[in-house]
Amino acid sequence: MKEYILNLLEKNKRIDNRKLDEFRKIEIQKDFIQRAEGSARVKFGSTDVIVGVKLEISEPFPDTPDSGILRTDAEFTPIASEDFFPGPPNENAIELARIVDRGIRESETIDLEKLCLEKGEKVWGVCIDIRIINHDGNLIDASALAALIALTTTKIPKIKDDEIIREEYSGKLPLKHKPITISIGKIGGKFIIDPCLQEENLLDSILTVSVREDGKICAMQKRKNSLKVEEINKIIDLAVNKSKELRKLI
Amino acid sequence: MTEKEKIREIVLPGEIIGNTKTEKSGHGTFIRDQNIISKFLGIPKKNKDYISVIPLSGVYTPKRHDKIIGIVISVEKSGWIVNTNSPWKGFLSLSEGVRDFIDIRKVSLKRFFDVGDIIYTEIVDVRNGDIQLSMKSPSSRKLEDGVLVKITPSKVPRVIGKEGSMINSIKEKTKTIIRVGQNGVIWLTGQDIEKAIDAIKMIDEKSHIFGLTDKINIFLSDLNDENR
Amino acid sequence: MMKTDEKLIINGKRLDGRKPMDIREIEMKVGVIPNANGSAYVRFGKTTAFAAVYGPRELIPKHLQEPDKAILRCYYNMAPFSVSDRKRPGPDRRAVEISKVTKLAIEPALFLEEFPETTIDVYIDIIQADGSTRVTGINAASLALADAGIPMRDLIVALSGGKIDDTLIIDLCGKEDNYSEADIPIAFLPNTKEITLLQMDGRITPQEVKDTIRNILKAGEQVYKKQKEALKNRYK
């Protein structure tokens, strides 16, 4: 199978009849979970991810007493793959959550300063939970897109007598920026985007890049083996270019 | 494929599909109070008095004399452990795997079959979780290069077709060599592998509709036109 | 069981406008998780569950194997965003108990003896909870098992019953569940009417328990019909 995939790539073809720089069919469903303050379900081909955003009243960090808090978690639920099992998140789930978190945090997606309820005492905590429904590769890009879209749908609940009134809202979650995260894989001398699982397993290397709407890069992560400087340069240009395609979907 | 595809009758687990007064309970069915009941989501089939159900999904259950395609997953002292695409591993013993006498103190078994090797092999015995394999039958052999695809094991007969009609037609029109394992693993090599895989996947997905053979033939002849 | 002054039934109608014996809107889809051997999506009102079946597959470690049959493992889990106040990821004691009763609800429907030494793994993921999550999960598991081609005696139909404002009801939503005088989740095999899940908490009379079981067996026919439609739609 490996040789078959590599032979196809040699001819600039892929096992699912895509071009090297072509995404799979992307499907987006907003407000999928009414009980969450924000949510989205995103499919890249048969990769299927649900992100829910919950808002909680939290204590601020001592060094940022008037800023809201962001936390991102991911669960590789065993429904999604024969290789996922019940138990605490493994290193892949934690890496995924941290990469998505970094893209959102470093791009300053959320205007955290507007989420202060009582300086030094109470702020909004924004909890992003990523749930994998079916794993067919490129979980990071799908999760990052789902997280961003979920944030755009997120509403802030009303508060009465220090208690959250769920499903009644005072406004939308204030957002400043919109980062797009793209992973570009290197395989047999070719660069591909949105690798499916069979391709992902054969990658020589992969670099994940988060790009803001103003063109600034806000997070990167090399995830396998090594890359040469000129390869990194090429990947960055390709990621910036391809991010425009995904940005249209938000 | 614009007109609505006609679907074969589908039965469900627990559904009564016959009566023991007039029929006999076949594969994929069980009896309760004289009723013959389906065990599966599947297609019912009547053969003489026997009423049976062909499941539309499910894993491969190894049967004696089945020819399967397996992948060697480890090399042991006295033989090879083989992935059979079923819930159970197969064992190919040294004596069933190699014709000549081998002195295992001198020769590594990896010389014959190594991890990752693909073999076309026969199941010679099944006892509970124990599956014994053999390479002694003439068609058994190691499959070099090529591509593997997996289909629903219960649909293997559809891919083969009546007396091999379906598979032969695919081979001929795509200029490929194809081996079909009863365990739902198919090995291909040759010219238009991609088109052959598409045809096989189409059979796997559409096995429950009427006129499948015609549909595949049209698909394959379109292909020939394209190549012209 | 909490108390509320709020009336849960006004002029014979429940909070969401249902009559006592009405089931919420049901949505069922089969084959929604391509990686799984079988899978389903089931929604009763807002309560939404995915179920996936992996197996029969090899069981490791070996000492867990049964020489003459497959073992069945069930895991019920809830998404952190499925409830009002975010739930910490991972199973708690409640989830472990529900996993166990789910396994017991499903097991009688399966021919496990056809797959010695293996495991059949059933995973249930609640992505939105508004009452009656365990029965929703069992309905999803029933569909996923049939979709996986696991040999079955019957499908498994599940529905909850209970009592609010002195009235017997079925298919409790979250608020009704919180303030009910009784909550009775039930699963059964629709052809033989064998009950495979029966739990109850609350305070009601023996007659009311018996009536609820009868109500559920009757209303369960609608759920059974939906399951059959969903399985047949898989191949349309």
mmCIF file with all atom_site columns, all heavy atoms in Angstrom, chain A residues 53-70:
data_model
loop_
_atom_site.group_PDB
_atom_site.id
_atom_site.type_symbol
_atom_site.label_atom_id
_atom_site.label_alt_id
_atom_site.label_comp_id
_atom_site.label_asym_id
_atom_site.label_entity_id
_atom_site.label_seq_id
_atom_site.pdbx_PDB_ins_code
_atom_site.Cartn_x
_atom_site.Cartn_y
_atom_site.Cartn_z
_atom_site.occupancy
_atom_site.B_iso_or_equiv
_atom_site.pdbx_formal_charge
_atom_site.auth_seq_id
_atom_site.auth_comp_id
_atom_site.auth_asym_id
_atom_site.auth_atom_id
_atom_site.pdbx_PDB_model_num
ATOM 1   N N   . VAL A 1 53 ? -18.177 24.927 23.270 1.00 0.00 ? 53 VAL A N   1
ATOM 2   C CA  . VAL A 1 53 ? -17.587 25.952 24.130 1.00 0.00 ? 53 VAL A CA  1
ATOM 3   C C   . VAL A 1 53 ? -18.525 26.173 25.307 1.00 0.00 ? 53 VAL A C   1
ATOM 4   O O   . VAL A 1 53 ? -19.722 26.407 25.122 1.00 0.00 ? 53 VAL A O   1
ATOM 5   C CB  . VAL A 1 53 ? -17.391 27.279 23.351 1.00 0.00 ? 53 VAL A CB  1
ATOM 6   C CG1 . VAL A 1 53 ? -16.777 28.341 24.257 1.00 0.00 ? 53 VAL A CG1 1
ATOM 7   C CG2 . VAL A 1 53 ? -16.524 27.051 22.121 1.00 0.00 ? 53 VAL A CG2 1
ATOM 8   N N   . LYS A 1 54 ? -17.996 26.034 26.517 1.00 0.00 ? 54 LYS A N   1
ATOM 9   C CA  . LYS A 1 54 ? -18.783 26.329 27.714 1.00 0.00 ? 54 LYS A CA  1
ATOM 10  C C   . LYS A 1 54 ? -18.157 27.530 28.415 1.00 0.00 ? 54 LYS A C   1
ATOM 11  O O   . LYS A 1 54 ? -16.938 27.684 28.446 1.00 0.00 ? 54 LYS A O   1
ATOM 12  C CB  . LYS A 1 54 ? -18.753 25.138 28.694 1.00 0.00 ? 54 LYS A CB  1
ATOM 13  C CG  . LYS A 1 54 ? -19.452 23.878 28.254 1.00 0.00 ? 54 LYS A CG  1
ATOM 14  C CD  . LYS A 1 54 ? -20.953 23.976 28.106 1.00 0.00 ? 54 LYS A CD  1
ATOM 15  C CE  . LYS A 1 54 ? -21.717 24.405 29.338 1.00 0.00 ? 54 LYS A CE  1
ATOM 16  N NZ  . LYS A 1 54 ? -23.186 24.457 29.033 1.00 0.00 ? 54 LYS A NZ  1
ATOM 17  N N   . LEU A 1 55 ? -19.014 28.397 28.978 1.00 0.00 ? 55 LEU A N   1
ATOM 18  C CA  . LEU A 1 55 ? -18.518 29.521 29.766 1.00 0.00 ? 55 LEU A CA  1
ATOM 19  C C   . LEU A 1 55 ? -18.793 29.259 31.244 1.00 0.00 ? 55 LEU A C   1
ATOM 20  O O   . LEU A 1 55 ? -19.883 28.827 31.606 1.00 0.00 ? 55 LEU A O   1
ATOM 21  C CB  . LEU A 1 55 ? -19.181 30.824 29.310 1.00 0.00 ? 55 LEU A CB  1
ATOM 22  C CG  . LEU A 1 55 ? -18.331 31.633 28.320 1.00 0.00 ? 55 LEU A CG  1
ATOM 23  C CD1 . LEU A 1 55 ? -18.067 30.840 27.058 1.00 0.00 ? 55 LEU A CD1 1
ATOM 24  C CD2 . LEU A 1 55 ? -18.964 32.951 27.991 1.00 0.00 ? 55 LEU A CD2 1
ATOM 25  N N   . GLU A 1 56 ? -17.772 29.526 32.050 1.00 0.00 ? 56 GLU A N   1
ATOM 26  C CA  . GLU A 1 56 ? -17.891 29.299 33.483 1.00 0.00 ? 56 GLU A CA  1
ATOM 27  C C   . GLU A 1 56 ? -17.377 30.524 34.218 1.00 0.00 ? 56 GLU A C   1
ATOM 28  O O   . GLU A 1 56 ? -16.469 31.194 33.723 1.00 0.00 ? 56 GLU A O   1
ATOM 29  C CB  . GLU A 1 56 ? -16.999 28.122 33.909 1.00 0.00 ? 56 GLU A CB  1
ATOM 30  C CG  . GLU A 1 56 ? -17.492 26.770 33.507 1.00 0.00 ? 56 GLU A CG  1
ATOM 31  C CD  . GLU A 1 56 ? -16.524 25.678 33.981 1.00 0.00 ? 56 GLU A CD  1
ATOM 32  O OE1 . GLU A 1 56 ? -15.306 25.907 33.962 1.00 0.00 ? 56 GLU A OE1 1
ATOM 33  O OE2 . GLU A 1 56 ? -17.008 24.618 34.381 1.00 0.00 ? 56 GLU A OE2 1
ATOM 34  N N   . ILE A 1 57 ? -17.925 30.781 35.395 1.00 0.00 ? 57 ILE A N   1
ATOM 35  C CA  . ILE A 1 57 ? -17.358 31.860 36.210 1.00 0.00 ? 57 ILE A CA  1
ATOM 36  C C   . ILE A 1 57 ? -16.115 31.301 36.895 1.00 0.00 ? 57 ILE A C   1
ATOM 37  O O   . ILE A 1 57 ? -16.170 30.262 37.550 1.00 0.00 ? 57 ILE A O   1
ATOM 38  C CB  . ILE A 1 57 ? -18.388 32.355 37.247 1.00 0.00 ? 57 ILE A CB  1
ATOM 39  C CG1 . ILE A 1 57 ? -19.609 32.926 36.506 1.00 0.00 ? 57 ILE A CG1 1
ATOM 40  C CG2 . ILE A 1 57 ? -17.760 33.404 38.159 1.00 0.00 ? 57 ILE A CG2 1
ATOM 41  C CD1 . ILE A 1 57 ? -20.736 33.366 37.411 1.00 0.00 ? 57 ILE A CD1 1
ATOM 42  N N   . SER A 1 58 ? -14.975 31.979 36.672 1.00 0.00 ? 58 SER A N   1
ATOM 43  C CA  . SER A 1 58 ? -13.710 31.452 37.182 1.00 0.00 ? 58 SER A CA  1
ATOM 44  C C   . SER A 1 58 ? -12.948 32.535 37.936 1.00 0.00 ? 58 SER A C   1
ATOM 45  O O   . SER A 1 58 ? -13.274 33.719 37.860 1.00 0.00 ? 58 SER A O   1
ATOM 46  C CB  . SER A 1 58 ? -12.826 30.975 36.030 1.00 0.00 ? 58 SER A CB  1
ATOM 47  O OG  . SER A 1 58 ? -13.564 30.225 35.109 1.00 0.00 ? 58 SER A OG  1
ATOM 48  N N   . GLU A 1 59 ? -11.914 32.084 38.605 1.00 0.00 ? 59 GLU A N   1
ATOM 49  C CA  . GLU A 1 59 ? -11.017 33.019 39.276 1.00 0.00 ? 59 GLU A CA  1
ATOM 50  C C   . GLU A 1 59 ? -9.906  33.389 38.288 1.00 0.00 ? 59 GLU A C   1
ATOM 51  O O   . GLU A 1 59 ? -9.354  32.500 37.644 1.00 0.00 ? 59 GLU A O   1
ATOM 52  C CB  . GLU A 1 59 ? -10.395 32.314 40.483 1.00 0.00 ? 59 GLU A CB  1
ATOM 53  C CG  . GLU A 1 59 ? -10.287 33.190 41.710 1.00 0.00 ? 59 GLU A CG  1
ATOM 54  C CD  . GLU A 1 59 ? -9.723  32.378 42.863 1.00 0.00 ? 59 GLU A CD  1
ATOM 55  O OE1 . GLU A 1 59 ? -10.479 31.573 43.448 1.00 0.00 ? 59 GLU A OE1 1
ATOM 56  O OE2 . GLU A 1 59 ? -8.529  32.517 43.129 1.00 0.00 ? 59 GLU A OE2 1
ATOM 57  N N   . PRO A 1 60 ? -9.561  34.675 38.173 1.00 0.00 ? 60 PRO A N   1
ATOM 58  C CA  . PRO A 1 60 ? -8.507  35.028 37.205 1.00 0.00 ? 60 PRO A CA  1
ATOM 59  C C   . PRO A 1 60 ? -7.130  34.596 37.701 1.00 0.00 ? 60 PRO A C   1
ATOM 60  O O   . PRO A 1 60 ? -6.961  34.340 38.897 1.00 0.00 ? 60 PRO A O   1
ATOM 61  C CB  . PRO A 1 60 ? -8.595  36.548 37.131 1.00 0.00 ? 60 PRO A CB  1
ATOM 62  C CG  . PRO A 1 60 ? -9.163  36.959 38.455 1.00 0.00 ? 60 PRO A CG  1
ATOM 63  C CD  . PRO A 1 60 ? -10.085 35.859 38.887 1.00 0.00 ? 60 PRO A CD  1
ATOM 64  N N   . PHE A 1 61 ? -6.168  34.532 36.775 1.00 0.00 ? 61 PHE A N   1
ATOM 65  C CA  . PHE A 1 61 ? -4.789  34.286 37.192 1.00 0.00 ? 61 PHE A CA  1
ATOM 66  C C   . PHE A 1 61 ? -4.278  35.539 37.895 1.00 0.00 ? 61 PHE A C   1
ATOM 67  O O   . PHE A 1 61 ? -4.623  36.658 37.487 1.00 0.00 ? 61 PHE A O   1
ATOM 68  C CB  . PHE A 1 61 ? -3.923  33.961 35.972 1.00 0.00 ? 61 PHE A CB  1
ATOM 69  C CG  . PHE A 1 61 ? -4.267  32.644 35.339 1.00 0.00 ? 61 PHE A CG  1
ATOM 70  C CD1 . PHE A 1 61 ? -4.753  32.574 34.046 1.00 0.00 ? 61 PHE A CD1 1
ATOM 71  C CD2 . PHE A 1 61 ? -4.111  31.449 36.061 1.00 0.00 ? 61 PHE A CD2 1
ATOM 72  C CE1 . PHE A 1 61 ? -5.081  31.353 33.469 1.00 0.00 ? 61 PHE A CE1 1
ATOM 73  C CE2 . PHE A 1 61 ? -4.431  30.235 35.479 1.00 0.00 ? 61 PHE A CE2 1
ATOM 74  C CZ  . PHE A 1 61 ? -4.922  30.185 34.187 1.00 0.00 ? 61 PHE A CZ  1
ATOM 75  N N   . PRO A 1 62 ? -3.455  35.382 38.934 1.00 0.00 ? 62 PRO A N   1
ATOM 76  C CA  . PRO A 1 62 ? -3.002  36.543 39.714 1.00 0.00 ? 62 PRO A CA  1
ATOM 77  C C   . PRO A 1 62 ? -2.298  37.611 38.855 1.00 0.00 ? 62 PRO A C   1
ATOM 78  O O   . PRO A 1 62 ? -2.440  38.811 39.121 1.00 0.00 ? 62 PRO A O   1
ATOM 79  C CB  . PRO A 1 62 ? -2.012  35.939 40.713 1.00 0.00 ? 62 PRO A CB  1
ATOM 80  C CG  . PRO A 1 62 ? -2.312  34.479 40.759 1.00 0.00 ? 62 PRO A CG  1
ATOM 81  C CD  . PRO A 1 62 ? -2.924  34.118 39.450 1.00 0.00 ? 62 PRO A CD  1
ATOM 82  N N   . ASP A 1 63 ? -1.584  37.185 37.803 1.00 0.00 ? 63 ASP A N   1
ATOM 83  C CA  . ASP A 1 63 ? -0.864  38.177 36.998 1.00 0.00 ? 63 ASP A CA  1
ATOM 84  C C   . ASP A 1 63 ? -1.739  38.860 35.957 1.00 0.00 ? 63 ASP A C   1
ATOM 85  O O   . ASP A 1 63 ? -1.325  39.839 35.347 1.00 0.00 ? 63 ASP A O   1
ATOM 86  C CB  . ASP A 1 63 ? 0.371   37.534 36.342 1.00 0.00 ? 63 ASP A CB  1
ATOM 87  C CG  . ASP A 1 63 ? 0.016   36.280 35.559 1.00 0.00 ? 63 ASP A CG  1
ATOM 88  O OD1 . ASP A 1 63 ? -1.059  35.688 35.841 1.00 0.00 ? 63 ASP A OD1 1
ATOM 89  O OD2 . ASP A 1 63 ? 0.790   35.887 34.672 1.00 0.00 ? 63 ASP A OD2 1
ATOM 90  N N   . THR A 1 64 ? -2.935  38.353 35.722 1.00 0.00 ? 64 THR A N   1
ATOM 91  C CA  . THR A 1 64 ? -3.871  39.030 34.814 1.00 0.00 ? 64 THR A CA  1
ATOM 92  C C   . THR A 1 64 ? -5.243  39.090 35.488 1.00 0.00 ? 64 THR A C   1
ATOM 93  O O   . THR A 1 64 ? -6.175  38.404 35.085 1.00 0.00 ? 64 THR A O   1
ATOM 94  C CB  . THR A 1 64 ? -3.997  38.275 33.471 1.00 0.00 ? 64 THR A CB  1
ATOM 95  O OG1 . THR A 1 64 ? -4.283  36.897 33.765 1.00 0.00 ? 64 THR A OG1 1
ATOM 96  C CG2 . THR A 1 64 ? -2.755  38.364 32.623 1.00 0.00 ? 64 THR A CG2 1
ATOM 97  N N   . PRO A 1 65 ? -5.351  39.921 36.539 1.00 0.00 ? 65 PRO A N   1
ATOM 98  C CA  . PRO A 1 65 ? -6.564  39.896 37.384 1.00 0.00 ? 65 PRO A CA  1
ATOM 99  C C   . PRO A 1 65 ? -7.823  40.356 36.654 1.00 0.00 ? 65 PRO A C   1
ATOM 100 O O   . PRO A 1 65 ? -8.928  40.082 37.120 1.00 0.00 ? 65 PRO A O   1
ATOM 101 C CB  . PRO A 1 65 ? -6.222  40.843 38.538 1.00 0.00 ? 65 PRO A CB  1
ATOM 102 C CG  . PRO A 1 65 ? -5.129  41.715 38.009 1.00 0.00 ? 65 PRO A CG  1
ATOM 103 C CD  . PRO A 1 65 ? -4.363  40.894 37.025 1.00 0.00 ? 65 PRO A CD  1
ATOM 104 N N   . ASP A 1 66 ? -7.664  41.051 35.513 1.00 0.00 ? 66 ASP A N   1
ATOM 105 C CA  . ASP A 1 66 ? -8.872  41.518 34.828 1.00 0.00 ? 66 ASP A CA  1
ATOM 106 C C   . ASP A 1 66 ? -9.041  40.880 33.450 1.00 0.00 ? 66 ASP A C   1
ATOM 107 O O   . ASP A 1 66 ? -9.658  41.457 32.566 1.00 0.00 ? 66 ASP A O   1
ATOM 108 C CB  . ASP A 1 66 ? -8.897  43.050 34.735 1.00 0.00 ? 66 ASP A CB  1
ATOM 109 C CG  . ASP A 1 66 ? -7.593  43.597 34.182 1.00 0.00 ? 66 ASP A CG  1
ATOM 110 O OD1 . ASP A 1 66 ? -6.722  42.764 33.812 1.00 0.00 ? 66 ASP A OD1 1
ATOM 111 O OD2 . ASP A 1 66 ? -7.437  44.821 34.131 1.00 0.00 ? 66 ASP A OD2 1
ATOM 112 N N   . SER A 1 67 ? -8.468  39.710 33.301 1.00 0.00 ? 67 SER A N   1
ATOM 113 C CA  . SER A 1 67 ? -8.591  39.005 32.020 1.00 0.00 ? 67 SER A CA  1
ATOM 114 C C   . SER A 1 67 ? -9.323  37.680 32.181 1.00 0.00 ? 67 SER A C   1
ATOM 115 O O   . SER A 1 67 ? -9.110  36.972 33.175 1.00 0.00 ? 67 SER A O   1
ATOM 116 C CB  . SER A 1 67 ? -7.197  38.697 31.467 1.00 0.00 ? 67 SER A CB  1
ATOM 117 O OG  . SER A 1 67 ? -6.813  39.667 30.551 1.00 0.00 ? 67 SER A OG  1
ATOM 118 N N   . GLY A 1 68 ? -10.133 37.369 31.180 1.00 0.00 ? 68 GLY A N   1
ATOM 119 C CA  . GLY A 1 68 ? -10.779 36.058 31.166 1.00 0.00 ? 68 GLY A CA  1
ATOM 120 C C   . GLY A 1 68 ? -9.756  34.943 30.980 1.00 0.00 ? 68 GLY A C   1
ATOM 121 O O   . GLY A 1 68 ? -8.578  35.198 30.708 1.00 0.00 ? 68 GLY A O   1
ATOM 122 N N   . ILE A 1 69 ? -10.229 33.721 31.148 1.00 0.00 ? 69 ILE A N   1
ATOM 123 C CA  . ILE A 1 69 ? -9.336  32.562 31.072 1.00 0.00 ? 69 ILE A CA  1
ATOM 124 C C   . ILE A 1 69 ? -9.756  31.673 29.910 1.00 0.00 ? 69 ILE A C   1
ATOM 125 O O   . ILE A 1 69 ? -10.950 31.514 29.648 1.00 0.00 ? 69 ILE A O   1
ATOM 126 C CB  . ILE A 1 69 ? -9.408  31.761 32.393 1.00 0.00 ? 69 ILE A CB  1
ATOM 127 C CG1 . ILE A 1 69 ? -8.690  32.529 33.495 1.00 0.00 ? 69 ILE A CG1 1
ATOM 128 C CG2 . ILE A 1 69 ? -8.825  30.369 32.244 1.00 0.00 ? 69 ILE A CG2 1
ATOM 129 C CD1 . ILE A 1 69 ? -8.865  31.904 34.847 1.00 0.00 ? 69 ILE A CD1 1
ATOM 130 N N   . LEU A 1 70 ? -8.760  31.120 29.227 1.00 0.00 ? 70 LEU A N   1
ATOM 131 C CA  . LEU A 1 70 ? -9.036  30.186 28.128 1.00 0.00 ? 70 LEU A CA  1
ATOM 132 C C   . LEU A 1 70 ? -8.464  28.832 28.494 1.00 0.00 ? 70 LEU A C   1
ATOM 133 O O   . LEU A 1 70 ? -7.339  28.746 28.991 1.00 0.00 ? 70 LEU A O   1
ATOM 134 C CB  . LEU A 1 70 ? -8.365  30.712 26.847 1.00 0.00 ? 70 LEU A CB  1
ATOM 135 C CG  . LEU A 1 70 ? -8.275  29.757 25.654 1.00 0.00 ? 70 LEU A CG  1
ATOM 136 C CD1 . LEU A 1 70 ? -9.650  29.476 25.076 1.00 0.00 ? 70 LEU A CD1 1
ATOM 137 C CD2 . LEU A 1 70 ? -7.355  30.335 24.576 1.00 0.00 ? 70 LEU A CD2 1
#
